[in-house]
Amino acid sequence: MGWYSQFVLPRLLDRVMSGPALSRYRQEILAGVEGEILEIGFGTGLNLPHYPPQVRKITTIDVNEGMNAIAQRRIDAAAIAVDNRILSGENLPMADNTFDSVVSTWTLCSIAKVEQALAEIHRVLKPGGKFIFIEHGLSDDPKIQVWQNRLTPLQKVIGDGCHLNRNIQALVEAQFEHVSLETFYGEDLPKIGGYLYKGVATKAP
């Protein structure tokens, strides 16, 4: 992991991803989490203040040690017990059927083997468990898609693997039979990177 990825990007993302609109989206999706919870792509811990009061413990993973250094301050200040691990979402060490809820916020865009990561999420969820997510990805506007496709190679460098053009709906539906999804352009976000997928995918009982 390079100097940019470990030291510059975590601070940049912490600033960019902490705006009021994104905070509101975080709060909306986290309102429904319950039971044993896993958060993938924990990043700098921006979700922590938005978990409902009844949540007392979460397990979190992120592959970037630089993110973890910033997140630790939020972990220390949180009322929630956090089992934070430096791991890739593509290879989870947890047993099958472990979690009631898995959370992902703006993470699937940057996982190299995203199909494998979604298979892992499905595997570690209990039957009837929920994958709760908000992600950015491929727009429904062909004109925007052209620019997303053109700029994704550059974005992958700047954003440490982030893709502008992933079809999040297709990726999630390929793994889960039951998906409830809302798509929209995020408030105050550029259309090229602000087409959002907010939803819940449920593992079959």
Side-chain angles (χ1 to χ4, degrees), residues 23-140:
S23 295
R24 185 173 71 252
Y25 300 145
R26 294 176 194 275
Q27 187 171 23
E28 288 172 359
I29 71 157
L30 291 172
V33 298
E34 59 184 3
E36 295 290 326
I37 299 165
L38 171 67
E39 181 178 333
I40 68 165
F42 184 58
T44 61
L46 288 170
N47 285 339
L48 268 180
H50 304 293
Y51 277 95
Q54 65 269 23
V55 174
R56 308 308 302 165
K57 179 184 177 182
I58 58 174
T59 301
T60 64
I61 66 164
D62 200 288
V63 73
N64 188 321
E65 293 183 12
M67 298 284 188
N68 182 64
I70 299 175
Q72 192 58 50
R73 298 197 297 270
R74 292 192 172 101
I75 293 171
D76 292 341
I80 301 173
V82 181
D83 178 6
N84 188 29
R85 310 184 191 183
I86 308 298
L87 291 171
S88 166
E90 299 158 339
N91 295 288
L92 299 175
M94 296 82 171
D96 296 358
N97 308 322
T98 297
F99 297 99
D100 300 284
S101 303
V102 175
V103 172
S104 171
T105 59
W106 295 285
T107 296
L108 298 181
C109 62
S110 59
I111 298 177
K113 298 177 182 177
V114 64
E115 294 91 350
Q116 183 174 322
L118 283 163
E120 283 287 87
I121 289 168
H122 186 274
R123 179 184 66 79
V124 301
L125 274 170
K126 296 176 182 177
K130 299 182 184 302
F131 173 45
I132 300 164
F133 60 92
I134 184 164
E135 302 285 348
H136 76 96
L138 188 69
S139 170
D140 63 349

Side-chain angles (χ1 to χ4, degrees), residues 4 6 29 35 52 68 118 126 149 172 177 189 199-200:
Y4 173 80
Q6 190 164 356
I29 71 157
N68 182 64
L118 283 163
K126 296 176 182 177
N149 291 330
V172 174
E177 294 181 3
L189 296 176
V200 178

